[in-house]
Amino acid sequence: MRVINVKTRLRKYPILIESGITEDFVDHLKKNFSGFNKVVVITNNKVFAIHGQRLKELLDKGKLESYIVVLEDGEEFKNLESADYIYKKLIDFNIHRNDIVVAFGGGVIGDLGGFVASTFHRGVRLVQYPTTIIGQVDSSIGGKVVVNYNSIKNVIGNFYQPHMIIIDPLLITTLEEREIINGLAEIVKYGIVFDRKILKILEENVDEGNDSRLFELIKKSVFEEIIYRCCHIKSVVVEKDEFDLGYRNLLNFGHTIGHCIEKAAKLEEINHGQAVSMGMIVAIDISVELNLVKKDFKDMIIKLYRKLKLPYIIPQLNITDIIGGLKYDKKFTSTRNKFILLKGINKPVFYYNVSQDIVERCISKNMEQA
Ligand code: NAD
Ligand code: GLY
């Protein structure tokens, strides 16, 4: 088992990573927590149908008093109504601060379950138990817990570090391909910004001629190494800037334009990972325009994208709509924009006041032509 100990001001906590760790889940709860009486698992119907029964059997076998709250699947359920539903259940189950809430699912369940755990009795014990790649390499770590409100994404939330994170790479082997691609985009981001070894491992372990290559990649033991490297990076970044005051913005590479593409496409047709993939290519092109990096860097990244089935051409969207999305960027102020650009591999830089001309040119250069 690989263990990362995250040290934040709010809390110190372990990330336990091992294929098959689910079978020892109850032992890890008992080892890491004392004085709890009940465990409440928050999940959704899809994850429950695939992995929930086994978890329940393990909790029963371990003689823990446990409850499972099953929500509907989807980003549209990451809201205060779902939080209200969970609060009512926690009250029905008579949950106290020493009890444990387990968020068992993708980023949606992690954000929502974490938000509820952070507010119920001003904070109950929280175990993040992510079942998607995004959850395992990103959203479970670092304490951003949040819900959407009135169609505004991630607007009501908190910083609340979990008490433990359990990562079982076997759980992600049931993901659909589009969800694998979603997660790979974030993994490539870590590789480009922080750790080139990740790109090398991906490069060496994917055979472009094989159509089921992504399913095969995530089953390989080396994928656990990739997850570990990403978790390690994320935990170091969070330790340096727990409350996202500056340095943590580096995790936002590709997201500045990515979020705008996602929004301009009305959230449905392009998922987050696809939008971030395209956003990273635009950020690289802006870096090329500003003479920070050479054009062959972009060619190298696109070669890897092809192997990983990551999209790099933006579908035909209205450029004004895309640019319009920038005003919602949390890194920007009313007087200046802020981009994460590159001086080379693993050489990120913050760049302020990039001209709108350059941004527009780099978006249209990468957009599907009529
Ligand atoms: P998700 O939680 O919606 O999961 C994607 C899909 O995969 C869902 O249909 C889900 O039911 C399904 N699924 C989950 N586990 C599965 C499994 N093992 N097998 C088969 N299907 C499975 O989406 P996501 O991509 O995991 O997370 C996206 C969310 O995370 C967004 O709400 C985003 O805002 C948030 N997020 C938060 C942070 C953070 O730091 N808190 C970081 C990144 C993303
Ligand atoms: N996912 C970005 C962050 O945690 O800051």
Side-chain angles (χ1 to χ4, degrees), residues 3-202:
V3 181
I4 297 169
N5 288 304
V6 188
K7 297 176 202 72
T8 66
R9 266 182 280 170
L10 204 58
R11 196 166 0 264
K12 294 187 176 67
Y13 56 95
I15 308 176
L16 311 181
I17 307 168
E18 186 178 33
S19 288
I21 193 173
T22 298
E23 294 304 307
D24 304 324
F25 166 57
V26 172
D27 288 347
H28 288 297
L29 286 185
K30 290 180 180 169
K31 214 183 288 170
N32 280 274
F33 300 101
S34 59
F36 69 95
N37 299 308
K38 299 171 191 178
V39 178
V40 182
V41 177
I42 316 288
T43 190
N44 73 28
N45 47 13
K46 187 166 186 182
V47 177
F48 184 72
I50 306 172
H51 298 294
Q53 207 50 49
R54 183 66 191 141
L55 203 64
K56 181 68 184 143
E57 279 165 19
L58 290 164
L59 287 161
D60 291 345
K61 202 170 138 211
K63 305 216 177 330
L64 293 183
E65 182 176 341
S66 65
Y67 302 91
I68 305 214
V69 180
V70 183
L71 301 159
E72 287 190 66
D73 181 21
E75 177 74 30
E76 65 273 31
F77 296 102
K78 196 176 102 175
N79 58 24
L80 287 174
E81 286 73 37
S82 300
D84 183 60
Y85 176 77
I86 305 170
Y87 292 137
K88 287 191 176 113
K89 293 281 182 195
L90 297 182
I91 288 167
D92 287 350
F93 305 147
N94 197 19
I95 296 304
H96 293 276
R97 296 194 69 205
N98 55 322
D99 293 322
I100 301 172
V101 166
V102 179
F104 185 61
V108 166
I109 290 293
D111 281 10
L112 171 64
F115 176 74
V116 168
S118 76
T119 43
F120 192 71
H121 288 314
R122 296 198 195 88
V124 294
R125 287 160 161 184
L126 170 66
V127 173
Q128 288 282 6
Y129 199 160
T131 63
T132 60
I133 299 176
I134 293 271
Q136 296 195 348
V137 302
D138 184 3
S139 61
S140 65
I141 310 158
K144 286 188 178 176
V145 293
V146 71
V147 293
N148 306 327
Y149 183 73
N150 266 353
S151 309
I152 309 173
K153 211 173 136 58
N154 292 343
V155 66
I156 298 185
N158 220 337
F159 282 99
Y160 189 71
Q161 301 293 340
H163 294 69
M164 179 164 83
I165 304 177
I166 299 203
I167 295 183
D168 184 348
L170 282 188
L171 297 179
I172 58 171
T173 57
T174 54
L175 287 173
E176 289 168 20
E177 187 171 70
R178 63 181 261 122
E179 297 305 337
I180 301 177
I181 292 171
N182 208 2
L184 284 174
E186 295 292 343
I187 289 175
V188 167
K189 175 198 77 180
Y190 284 117
I192 293 176
V193 178
F194 300 98
D195 179 4
R196 69 177 75 196
K197 180 85 195 294
I198 292 175
L199 304 181
K200 188 162 185 281
I201 299 175
L202 289 169

Side-chain angles (χ1 to χ4, degrees), residues 138-139 141-144 159 186 189-190 234 237-238 241-242 244 248-249 251-252 255 272:
D138 184 3
S139 61
I141 310 158
K144 286 188 178 176
F159 282 99
E186 295 292 343
K189 175 198 77 180
Y190 284 117
K234 176 104 192 225
V237 172
V238 167
D241 180 18
E242 184 172 347
D244 205 4
R248 190 166 169 170
N249 288 178
L251 296 171
N252 224 229
H255 289 57
H272 180 73

Side-chain angles (χ1 to χ4, degrees), residues 194-218:
F194 300 98
D195 179 4
R196 69 177 75 196
K197 180 85 195 294
I198 292 175
L199 304 181
K200 188 162 185 281
I201 299 175
L202 289 169
E203 183 71 40
E204 288 172 356
N205 282 280
V206 182
D207 163 16
E208 202 171 342
N210 175 355
D211 196 42
S212 53
R213 58 192 181 270
L214 301 187
F215 294 104
E216 288 173 17
L217 170 69
I218 63 169

